[in-house]
Amino acid sequence: MGDDTKSNTKLLDELEKGPWPSFVTEMKKAAETNPMAKDLLGQLELSYEERIGHWKHGGIVGVMGYGGGVIGRYSDVPEKFPNVAHFHTLRINHPSGWFYTSEALRKLCDIWERHGSGLTNMHGSTGDIIFLGTKTNELEPVFQELTQAGFDLGGSGSVLRTPSCCVGQARCEWACYDTMATCDSLTRAYQDEIHRPAFPYKFKIKCSGCANDCVAAIARADLSVIGTWKDDIQQDDAAVSEYAAAGLDIQKDVCDHCPTKCMQWDGKKLAINNRECVRCMHCINVMPKALKPGKEKGATLLIGAKAPIMQGALLSSVLIPFVPAAELLDTIKELVSRIWDFWSEYGNNRERVGELIQRIGMPAFLDAIGLDPVPEMVTAPRDNPYIFFQTKEDGQETK
Amino acid sequence: MAVPLETLVEEIYKMVVDLQGKKNVRAMSLTKAMIDKYGAGEVNKEDCKHAIRQLIDSGRCVYGYYGGESFITIPRKEEAASG
């Protein structure tokens, strides 16, 4: 199509200017061989001209037996752009940590060029591989080819969304547990929950190996699994001195940024009060050769985050402050079964578990899932007035 | 299980048909309705899960999706596809 496309997409052409990669350029490349991509450009240009979207979404399209993984999408101007009259999205369950062989990627792309627009998102915000745009009658064939290639659909709708994790111990020295094995085990264990919608709304599990939280679990996951350690930060004093000698201002760049001010630098020695450390990873990020997470590793389990587009973002709250790495998988499975039972029973339609907790209160939720409140659930002193501790002797409340 | 699976399958199917076009019914609502009807001692969540699975796998029911929410419905020609 070449010049023909250019003359018909004056507004989109603006997005090809400048030094950055352009999605318009990529779509134009796809449009040279794929009529869906060509009509997609046309419809998008129309949307830019009219300042209105021309997509309808939802419906009953899917593959046999699955309730997730396909998101129906239709053009509301099919007479103008018949090749995108159906333009369904597929979510493909990504491998843990997003590791692929180049052969696997070629295979995926070949499948998609045969059955869809050839356009992809690597990756969607859920973590899945996103195949953008195919017709209803191509859904079963593309699913068959994907499964033959060892892939499966991911989650969409009121299901356990495809669990995701950071690269963990495969590429990161700070991972406090095996995020990839945890994510893979959860994905295999909960195939029913991923493919057969039975929840009030979506439920996301994201596994980060440390508090750097590279998959933003604390901001997005209904159940966040964030690696941490229980003992002291491992410290190499000679390496600390090397950082100082190389010009790092340890007082300014490390101690002053510590959220609990648990570190002191006297110009020669760095002293860490580990009892006050909240394992935020800042000092370790600044001096990776001198400081490392402790040896007693595991994870914190947190509940209730959501990241909506418009308003009402929630960060997750601590449920279990520390689970040793060896007990992590069993603990998660035991915990989610209690959470899902309660949420499925009492959650309203389209109510995330964090919203349920806001509605009924954390004490009622903890009671329902059989957990006792612990001090680590308190964000800051006198900040969470719902928890009252009692002395054993006289039962007197101490807030 | 006191209530035979076949009975449960037909009861759930009938409920989905009755609600067709009136309400998007989700799996848990169907489950609760069956437990209300037969009593918790006669039917449980697992029984209903199996019954729904049978309906979906046989193609008599399908999952629908709108706005991030899923529901169970009867297969039909997709209205949205007609524009």
Side-chain angles (χ1 to χ4, degrees):
Chain A
M1 70 194 264
D3 290 343
D4 180 42
T5 308
K6 201 148 193 134
S7 60
N8 293 333
T9 56
K10 285 178 187 164
L11 294 173
L12 286 175
D13 293 347
E14 292 296 312
L15 298 175
E16 291 189 282
K17 294 176 181 170
W20 307 282
S22 166
F23 72 94
V24 175
T25 305
E26 297 306 310
M27 285 164 66
K28 283 184 178 176
K29 281 185 206 164
E32 287 169 11
T33 54
N34 190 304
M36 294 182 90
K38 185 176 178 182
D39 272 6
L40 179 65
L41 277 169
Q43 180 167 313
L44 188 56
E45 179 72 15
L46 181 67
S47 288
Y48 277 35
E49 285 167 5
E50 298 179 351
R51 300 186 179 197
I52 189 168
H54 283 288
W55 295 114
K56 301 182 288 183
H57 105 286
I60 57 169
V61 288
V63 298
M64 188 71 163
Y66 277 39
V70 179
I71 299 146
R73 201 169 298 279
Y74 302 93
S75 169
D76 70 1
V77 281
E79 66 288 348
K80 287 185 183 166
F81 305 104
N83 292 309
V84 292
H86 305 193
F87 201 72
H88 309 314
T89 301
L90 267 72
R91 288 195 182 140
I92 318 299
N93 194 328
H94 58 284
S96 285
W98 300 284
F99 285 90
Y100 306 89
T101 61
S102 51
E103 185 192 358
L105 284 175
R106 278 189 208 99
K107 205 174 272 183
L108 282 168
C109 292
D110 288 346
I111 291 171
W112 194 230
E113 286 190 354
R114 277 196 294 277
H115 296 288
S117 70
L119 297 167
T120 66
N121 281 162
M122 292 281 181
H123 295 81
S125 57
T126 50
D128 299 271
I129 304 159
I130 308 291
F131 281 1
L132 293 164
T134 192
K135 297 176 189 304
T136 303
N137 60 2
E138 291 285 359
L139 291 172
E140 287 291 348
V142 71
F143 178 59
Q144 293 305 322
E145 286 205 38
L146 282 169
T147 51
Q148 279 166 19
F151 285 87
D152 193 2
L153 295 184
S156 66
S158 308
V159 297
L160 171 63
R161 299 298 180 85
T162 316
S164 68
C165 65
C166 67
V167 292
Q169 291 170 340
R171 273 181 62 84
C172 180
E173 68 274 29
W174 294 329
C176 292
Y177 68 98
D178 191 342
T179 56
M180 294 173 65
T182 305
C183 181
D184 187 69
S185 299
L186 293 172
T187 304
R188 291 175 194 278
Y190 295 123
Q191 284 293 296
D192 244 23
E193 286 76 6
I194 291 173
H195 299 308
R196 295 174 183 271
F199 294 152
Y201 203 24
K202 64 183 91 167
F203 192 94
K204 297 180 180 179
I205 300 177
K206 295 190 186 294
C207 307
S208 287
C210 74
N212 283 334
D213 197 6
C214 288
V215 289
I218 201 166
R220 303 189 296 163
D222 297 275
L223 185 77
S224 322
V225 185
I226 300 180
T228 190
W229 64 95
K230 204 170 184 179
D231 55 348
D232 294 349
I233 291 175
Q234 298 183 68
Q235 186 175 342
D236 179 342
D237 286 330
V240 172
S241 299
E242 281 175 27
Y243 274 108
L248 177 69
D249 188 338
I250 292 177
Q251 182 61 47
K252 178 169 166 276
D253 295 332
V254 180
C255 299
D256 290 352
H257 287 143
C258 174
T260 57
K261 303 287 179 275
C262 74
M263 316 186 96
Q264 287 192 324
W265 171 247
D266 64 5
K268 290 179 183 166
K269 167 115 180 121
L270 181 70
I272 304 174
N273 178 1
N274 279 278
R275 279 181 60 85
E276 294 299 318
C277 171
V278 288
R279 280 72 175 159
C280 77
M281 293 291 295
H282 173 72
C283 58
I284 296 173
N285 292 336
V286 179
M287 298 193 290
K289 289 178 183 167
L291 304 174
K292 287 196 292 188
K295 291 178 179 169
E296 195 180 348
K297 291 173 180 172
T300 302
L301 301 184
L302 305 96
I303 186 87
K306 65 177 186 122
I309 297 167
M310 299 298 283
Q311 58 180 11
L314 285 174
L315 294 184
S316 51
S317 309
V318 171
L319 256 195
I320 302 181
F322 184 80
V323 183
E327 300 167 20
L328 190 56
L329 196 57
D330 288 341
T331 306
I332 293 172
K333 286 181 179 175
E334 213 259 326
L335 188 67
V336 291
S337 80
R338 284 187 268 155
I339 292 169
W340 287 345
D341 265 356
F342 182 70
W343 177 50
S344 295
E345 185 80 24
Y346 296 102
N348 293 328
N349 275 2
R350 296 173 64 88
E351 184 176 51
R352 298 281 288 270
V353 72
E355 294 167 316
L356 170 69
I357 294 168
Q358 279 194 320
R359 178 164 61 84
I360 65 169
M362 186 60 101
F365 179 74
L366 292 177
D367 192 43
I369 63 166
L371 279 184
D372 290 328
V374 291
E376 287 87 345
M377 292 175 181
V378 179
T379 310
R382 300 184 187 281
D383 191 57
N384 298 45
Y386 57 79
I387 292 173
F388 294 88
F389 294 97
Q390 295 185 326
T391 57
K392 283 183 182 170
E393 292 77 23
D394 56 14
Q396 193 178 1
E397 284 180 351
T398 53
K399 194 160 81 169
Chain B
M1 175 171 125
V3 179
L5 181 64
E6 296 72 32
T7 308
L8 213 47
V9 168
E10 294 310 318
E11 284 287 336
I12 290 175
Y13 183 70
K14 183 175 179 307
M15 195 174 159
V16 175
V17 171
D18 289 346
L19 289 170
Q20 176 79 10
K22 298 173 195 158
K23 185 183 175 190
N24 289 337
V25 62
R26 60 189 172 103
M28 184 48 70
S29 306
L30 293 165
T31 302
K32 282 181 180 171
M34 291 302 112
I35 293 173
D36 284 348
K37 179 168 182 174
Y38 291 107
E42 303 294 309
V43 174
N44 61 36
K45 288 179 188 173
E46 272 307 297
D47 301 333
C48 295
K49 191 172 164 182
H50 286 303
I52 291 169
R53 175 190 285 265
Q54 201 170 102
L55 284 167
I56 297 290
D57 288 350
S58 67
R60 293 175 72 193
C61 289
V62 292
Y63 289 108
Y65 170 91
Y66 185 75
E69 187 186 8
S70 304
F71 51 91
I72 293 173
T73 187
I74 306 297
R76 61 181 189 276
K77 184 176 172 357
E78 184 80 285
E79 295 91 349
S82 58

Coordinates of all heavy atoms in Angstrom, one line a residue, chain A residues 92-131:
Chain A
I92 N -2.0 -14.7 25.6 CA -1.2 -16.0 25.6 C -0.4 -16.1 26.9 O 0.3 -15.1 27.2 CB -0.3 -16.1 24.4 CG1 -0.9 -15.6 23.1 CG2 0.3 -17.5 24.3 CD1 -2.1 -16.3 22.7
N93 N -0.6 -17.1 27.6 CA 0.2 -17.3 28.9 C 1.7 -17.3 28.6 O 2.2 -18.1 27.9 CB -0.2 -18.7 29.5 CG 0.2 -18.8 30.9 OD1 1.2 -18.3 31.4 ND2 -0.6 -19.5 31.7
H94 N 2.3 -16.3 29.2 CA 3.8 -16.2 29.0 C 4.5 -17.1 29.9 O 4.0 -17.5 30.9 CB 4.2 -14.7 29.3 CG 3.9 -14.3 30.7 ND1 2.6 -14.0 31.1 CD2 4.6 -14.3 31.8 CE1 2.6 -13.7 32.4 NE2 3.8 -13.9 32.8
P95 N 5.7 -17.5 29.5 CA 6.6 -18.3 30.4 C 7.0 -17.5 31.6 O 7.2 -16.2 31.5 CB 7.7 -18.7 29.5 CG 7.6 -18.1 28.3 CD 6.4 -17.2 28.2
S96 N 7.3 -18.1 32.7 CA 7.8 -17.4 33.9 C 9.0 -16.6 33.6 O 9.9 -17.1 32.9 CB 8.1 -18.4 35.0 OG 7.0 -18.9 35.6
G97 N 8.9 -15.3 34.0 CA 10.1 -14.4 33.8 C 10.3 -14.0 32.3 O 11.3 -13.3 32.0
W98 N 9.4 -14.4 31.5 CA 9.4 -13.9 30.0 C 10.7 -14.4 29.3 O 11.3 -13.6 28.6 CB 9.3 -12.4 29.9 CG 8.0 -11.9 30.5 CD1 6.8 -12.0 29.9 CD2 7.8 -11.2 31.7 NE1 5.8 -11.4 30.7 CE2 6.5 -10.9 31.8 CE3 8.7 -10.8 32.7 CZ2 5.9 -10.3 32.9 CZ3 8.2 -10.2 33.8 CH2 6.8 -9.9 33.9
F99 N 11.1 -15.6 29.6 CA 12.2 -16.2 28.9 C 11.7 -17.0 27.7 O 10.9 -17.9 27.9 CB 13.0 -17.1 29.8 CG 13.9 -16.4 30.8 CD1 13.3 -16.0 32.0 CD2 15.2 -16.0 30.5 CE1 14.1 -15.3 33.0 CE2 15.9 -15.3 31.4 CZ 15.4 -15.0 32.7
Y100 N 12.3 -16.7 26.5 CA 11.9 -17.5 25.3 C 13.2 -17.9 24.5 O 14.2 -17.2 24.6 CB 11.1 -16.6 24.3 CG 9.8 -16.0 24.9 CD1 9.9 -14.8 25.5 CD2 8.6 -16.6 24.8 CE1 8.8 -14.2 26.0 CE2 7.5 -16.1 25.3 CZ 7.6 -14.8 25.9 OH 6.4 -14.2 26.4
T101 N 13.1 -18.9 23.8 CA 14.1 -19.1 22.8 C 13.7 -18.3 21.5 O 12.5 -18.0 21.4 CB 14.2 -20.6 22.3 OG1 12.9 -21.0 21.8 CG2 14.5 -21.5 23.5
S102 N 14.6 -18.0 20.7 CA 14.3 -17.2 19.5 C 13.4 -18.1 18.6 O 12.5 -17.6 17.9 CB 15.6 -16.8 18.7 OG 16.4 -17.9 18.6
E103 N 13.6 -19.4 18.7 CA 12.7 -20.3 17.9 C 11.3 -20.2 18.3 O 10.4 -20.2 17.5 CB 13.2 -21.8 18.1 CG 12.5 -22.7 17.2 CD 12.8 -24.2 17.5 OE1 13.6 -24.4 18.5 OE2 12.2 -25.1 16.9
A104 N 11.1 -20.1 19.7 CA 9.7 -20.1 20.2 C 9.0 -18.8 19.7 O 7.8 -18.7 19.3 CB 9.7 -20.1 21.7
L105 N 9.8 -17.7 19.7 CA 9.2 -16.4 19.3 C 8.9 -16.4 17.8 O 7.8 -15.9 17.4 CB 10.2 -15.3 19.6 CG 10.4 -14.8 21.0 CD1 11.5 -13.8 21.2 CD2 9.0 -14.2 21.5
R106 N 9.8 -17.0 17.0 CA 9.5 -17.1 15.6 C 8.2 -17.9 15.3 O 7.3 -17.6 14.5 CB 10.6 -17.8 14.8 CG 11.7 -16.8 14.5 CD 12.8 -17.5 13.6 NE 14.1 -16.8 13.8 CZ 15.0 -17.3 14.6 NH1 14.9 -18.5 15.1 NH2 16.1 -16.6 14.8
K107 N 8.1 -19.0 16.1 CA 6.9 -19.9 16.0 C 5.6 -19.1 16.3 O 4.6 -19.2 15.6 CB 7.1 -21.1 16.9 CG 6.3 -22.3 16.5 CD 6.6 -23.5 17.4 CE 7.8 -24.3 16.9 NZ 8.1 -25.5 17.7
L108 N 5.7 -18.3 17.4 CA 4.5 -17.5 17.8 C 4.1 -16.5 16.7 O 3.0 -16.4 16.4 CB 4.8 -16.8 19.1 CG 4.7 -17.6 20.4 CD1 5.3 -16.8 21.6 CD2 3.3 -18.0 20.7
C109 N 5.2 -15.9 16.2 CA 4.9 -14.8 15.2 C 4.3 -15.5 13.9 O 3.4 -14.9 13.2 CB 6.2 -14.0 14.9 SG 6.6 -13.0 16.3
D110 N 4.9 -16.6 13.5 CA 4.4 -17.3 12.3 C 2.9 -17.7 12.5 O 2.1 -17.5 11.6 CB 5.2 -18.6 12.0 CG 6.6 -18.3 11.5 OD1 6.8 -17.1 11.2 OD2 7.5 -19.2 11.5
I111 N 2.6 -18.2 13.7 CA 1.2 -18.6 13.9 C 0.3 -17.4 13.8 O -0.8 -17.4 13.2 CB 1.0 -19.2 15.4 CG1 1.7 -20.6 15.4 CG2 -0.4 -19.3 15.8 CD1 1.8 -21.1 16.9
W112 N 0.8 -16.3 14.3 CA -0.1 -15.1 14.3 C -0.2 -14.4 12.9 O -1.2 -13.9 12.6 CB 0.4 -14.1 15.4 CG -0.6 -13.0 15.7 CD1 -0.3 -11.7 15.6 CD2 -1.9 -13.2 16.0 NE1 -1.5 -11.0 16.0 CE2 -2.5 -11.9 16.2 CE3 -2.8 -14.3 16.1 CZ2 -3.8 -11.7 16.5 CZ3 -4.1 -14.1 16.4 CH2 -4.6 -12.8 16.6
E113 N 0.8 -14.6 12.2 CA 0.7 -14.0 10.8 C -0.2 -14.9 10.0 O -0.9 -14.4 9.1 CB 2.1 -14.0 10.1 CG 2.9 -12.8 10.7 CD 4.2 -12.6 9.9 OE1 4.5 -13.4 9.0 OE2 4.9 -11.6 10.3
R114 N -0.3 -16.2 10.3 CA -1.2 -17.1 9.5 C -2.7 -16.8 9.9 O -3.6 -16.9 9.1 CB -0.9 -18.5 9.8 CG 0.2 -19.1 9.0 CD 0.2 -20.6 9.0 NE 0.5 -21.2 10.3 CZ 1.8 -21.3 10.7 NH1 2.8 -21.0 10.0 NH2 2.0 -21.8 11.9
H115 N -2.9 -16.5 11.2 CA -4.3 -16.4 11.7 C -4.8 -15.1 12.2 O -6.0 -14.9 12.5 CB -4.4 -17.4 12.9 CG -4.2 -18.8 12.5 ND1 -5.1 -19.5 11.8 CD2 -3.2 -19.7 12.7 CE1 -4.7 -20.8 11.6 NE2 -3.5 -20.9 12.1
G116 N -3.9 -14.1 12.2 CA -4.4 -12.8 12.7 C -3.8 -11.6 12.0 O -3.3 -11.8 10.9
S117 N -3.7 -10.5 12.7 CA -3.2 -9.3 12.0 C -1.7 -9.2 11.9 O -1.1 -8.4 11.2 CB -3.7 -8.0 12.8 OG -3.0 -8.0 14.0
G118 N -1.0 -10.1 12.7 CA 0.4 -10.1 12.7 C 0.9 -9.0 13.7 O 2.1 -9.0 14.0
L119 N 0.0 -8.3 14.3 CA 0.4 -7.3 15.3 C 0.4 -7.9 16.7 O -0.6 -8.6 17.1 CB -0.5 -6.1 15.2 CG -0.5 -5.3 13.9 CD1 -1.6 -4.3 13.8 CD2 0.9 -4.6 13.8
T120 N 1.4 -7.6 17.5 CA 1.4 -8.1 18.9 C 1.8 -7.0 19.9 O 2.3 -6.0 19.5 CB 2.5 -9.2 19.1 OG1 3.8 -8.6 18.9 CG2 2.3 -10.3 18.0
N121 N 1.5 -7.3 21.2 CA 2.1 -6.5 22.3 C 3.0 -7.4 23.0 O 2.5 -8.5 23.5 CB 1.0 -6.0 23.3 CG 0.2 -4.8 22.9 OD1 -0.8 -4.6 23.4 ND2 0.7 -4.1 21.9
M122 N 4.2 -7.1 23.1 CA 5.1 -7.9 23.9 C 5.6 -7.0 25.1 O 6.5 -6.3 24.9 CB 6.4 -8.4 23.1 CG 6.0 -9.4 22.1 SD 5.9 -11.0 22.8 CE 5.5 -12.0 21.3
H123 N 5.0 -7.0 26.2 CA 3.9 -7.8 26.6 C 2.8 -6.9 27.1 O 3.0 -5.7 27.3 CB 4.3 -8.8 27.7 CG 5.3 -9.8 27.4 ND1 6.6 -9.5 27.3 CD2 5.1 -11.1 27.0 CE1 7.3 -10.6 26.9 NE2 6.4 -11.6 26.7
G124 N 1.6 -7.4 27.3 CA 0.5 -6.6 27.9 C 0.8 -6.3 29.3 O 1.7 -6.9 29.9
S125 N 0.0 -5.4 29.9 CA 0.2 -5.0 31.3 C 0.0 -6.2 32.3 O 0.5 -6.2 33.3 CB -0.7 -3.8 31.6 OG -2.0 -4.2 31.4
T126 N -0.8 -7.2 31.9 CA -0.9 -8.3 32.7 C 0.3 -9.2 32.7 O 0.5 -10.1 33.6 CB -2.1 -9.2 32.3 OG1 -2.0 -9.5 30.9 CG2 -3.4 -8.6 32.5
G127 N 1.1 -9.1 31.7 CA 2.3 -9.9 31.5 C 2.1 -10.8 30.3 O 3.1 -11.3 29.8
D128 N 0.9 -11.1 29.9 CA 0.7 -12.1 28.8 C 1.3 -11.5 27.5 O 1.4 -10.3 27.3 CB -0.8 -12.3 28.6 CG -1.5 -12.9 29.7 OD1 -1.6 -14.1 29.8 OD2 -2.0 -12.1 30.6
I129 N 1.5 -12.5 26.6 CA 1.8 -12.1 25.2 C 0.4 -11.7 24.6 O -0.6 -12.4 24.8 CB 2.3 -13.2 24.4 CG1 3.5 -13.8 25.0 CG2 2.5 -12.8 22.9 CD1 3.8 -15.3 24.6
I130 N 0.3 -10.5 24.0 CA -1.0 -10.1 23.4 C -1.0 -10.2 21.9 O -0.1 -9.7 21.2 CB -1.3 -8.7 23.8 CG1 -1.2 -8.5 25.3 CG2 -2.7 -8.3 23.3 CD1 -2.2 -9.2 26.2
F131 N -1.9 -11.0 21.4 CA -2.1 -11.1 19.9 C -3.3 -10.2 19.6 O -4.4 -10.3 20.1 CB -2.5 -12.5 19.5 CG -1.3 -13.5 19.4 CD1 0.0 -13.1 19.7 CD2 -1.5 -14.8 19.0 CE1 1.1 -13.9 19.6 CE2 -0.4 -15.7 18.9 CZ 0.8 -15.2 19.2

